[in-house]
Amino acid sequence: MYSDDDIQYALETTEILLEPDRRIDTFGSTCFHFHLISQLMDSVSRVRIRSGKIEADRPRIITPQAIGGVQFDGWGEQAEDFLTWLRRQGGNLAVLRYGFSFRKSEVREELVHDQLEGVRARLLEDVRVANNPLDAVLEGVDDAWEICLLRFTMDMIQKSHGINVFDFKRRGLL
């Protein structure tokens, strides 16, 4: 279980090195492909690369009372700790009023014996060449890596919100 300070540190130090070109779809689910690099705490020349998918269900219009219904399937205790921390923060709840159910899947790990800067440069180049509009490259904390992914999902929600609200209004749903 992580302390408030651990969560805050992971949120503050997570960097989105390359964000997806696409946003969360208003009327369908969205599947982002993430690549998260983190330096191991016990070695300056060992970097872990985690890759996988984060799926966001289509946004739903819910009341503020329904915020307790947010589910993080397959995430483990870190996600629940994060949600508890977020609730204590009060004003930050607005980013979760969508009512998304996030799932992470197909997570793979690779340990690379190299300097962080070199791994970062190669990974960014590989992802840019692949040119997938749903790819994201993150750099974060190794032991709280799921918090880093949750930070990414918060950013995607914030960047998608205006588009989603516009789409809902255009269809007369808001």
Side-chain angles (χ1 to χ4, degrees):
M1 189 154 145
Y2 292 99
S3 70
D4 287 356
D5 289 340
D6 293 335
I7 293 170
Q8 188 70 35
Y9 179 75
L11 291 172
E12 289 176 358
T13 59
T14 299
E15 289 186 60
I16 300 173
L17 304 174
L18 181 68
E19 71 177 39
D21 292 334
R22 300 252 327 266
R23 298 294 180 240
I24 296 170
D25 292 333
T26 304
F27 300 109
S29 62
T30 308
C31 184
F32 295 108
H33 302 267
F34 72 86
H35 308 273
L36 172 66
I37 58 174
S38 54
Q39 186 164 339
L40 274 62
M41 297 301 290
D42 58 352
S43 176
V44 293
S45 62
R46 289 179 34 195
V47 177
R48 189 179 328 266
I49 303 172
R50 290 180 175 94
S51 300
K53 296 179 181 180
I54 297 178
E55 299 174 46
D57 292 340
R58 68 176 185 84
R60 291 177 181 85
I61 303 169
I62 61 170
T63 63
Q65 295 81 8
I67 195 67
V70 174
Q71 296 177 1
F72 293 98
D73 294 337
W75 285 76
E77 272 186 37
Q78 287 185 339
E80 289 303 319
D81 292 346
F82 173 74
L83 190 55
T84 300
W85 174 85
L86 190 58
R87 285 186 180 127
R88 284 195 306 258
Q89 302 308 306
N92 293 337
L93 282 176
V95 297
L96 291 178
R97 289 193 180 159
Y98 279 42
F100 287 107
S101 172
F102 289 102
R103 290 175 299 282
K104 67 176 174 32
S105 61
E106 300 179 27
V107 176
R108 296 172 306 284
E109 290 188 16
E110 177 184 358
L111 193 59
V112 179
H113 297 276
D114 198 353
Q115 298 295 318
L116 181 65
E117 296 78 17
V119 174
R120 180 189 310 124
R122 283 191 305 277
L123 182 59
L124 282 167
E125 181 61 24
D126 290 347
V127 170
R128 285 187 177 118
V129 168
N131 200 30
N132 180 342
L134 294 169
D135 271 348
V137 178
L138 317 169
E139 185 175 324
V141 180
D142 191 60
D143 62 344
W145 67 278
E146 287 183 326
I147 301 298
C148 300
L149 289 180
L150 289 169
R151 158 72 193 283
F152 166 72
T153 63
M154 287 173 47
D155 283 1
M156 288 295 94
I157 289 170
Q158 289 175 334
K159 291 179 179 184
S160 302
H161 181 264
I163 297 165
N164 299 146
V165 167
F166 175 81
D167 290 343
F168 282 132
K169 285 181 178 179
R170 189 180 65 203
R171 294 227 179 142
L173 300 171
L174 281 180

